[in-house]
Amino acid sequence: DNLSGQFAQALRNIVAILKEGGASPAHLVRLTCYVRSIDDYLRSTEEIGRHWREIIGAHYPAMALVEVARLVEPDCLIEIEATA
């Protein structure tokens, strides 16, 4: 129930969807991360980086980070939009 844990789960979901389509994380070209708190994100960067390397590897597509007032799911701290 923390930002880095939700970030990791979102990445695992993205990888699973890519796999279903016969793709891999190397096919990612863009990510947009919507977070409820940029401050929380900045405090979590070390853990987020570790999750990224474990789940995605050394591929780094174009990324944007946007702070939003809220997300559809009340307990959600992050939502990631991915383009592959």
Side-chain angles (χ1 to χ4, degrees):
D1 289 336
N2 62 38
L3 182 63
S4 67
Q6 288 187 16
F7 185 89
Q9 185 58 54
L11 292 181
R12 286 194 283 284
N13 294 348
I14 290 167
V15 170
I17 291 166
L18 288 170
K19 186 176 179 181
E20 285 295 316
S24 72
H27 292 97
L28 289 170
V29 294
R30 180 187 63 83
L31 293 177
T32 303
C33 301
Y34 301 94
V35 296
R36 292 188 37 210
S37 169
I38 287 179
D39 290 334
D40 285 348
Y41 179 88
L42 293 173
R43 280 191 293 272
S44 303
T45 55
E46 188 174 322
E47 289 178 28
I48 285 171
R50 187 169 42 255
H51 291 310
W52 181 273
R53 290 184 298 278
E54 291 170 1
I55 298 165
I56 303 296
H59 177 64
Y60 299 97
M63 291 187 247
L65 178 69
V66 181
E67 184 177 70
V68 296
R70 67 183 193 179
L71 297 164
V72 174
E73 295 294 326
D75 295 333
C76 234
L77 302 174
I78 186 166
E79 184 173 308
I80 301 176
E81 178 183 5
T83 302

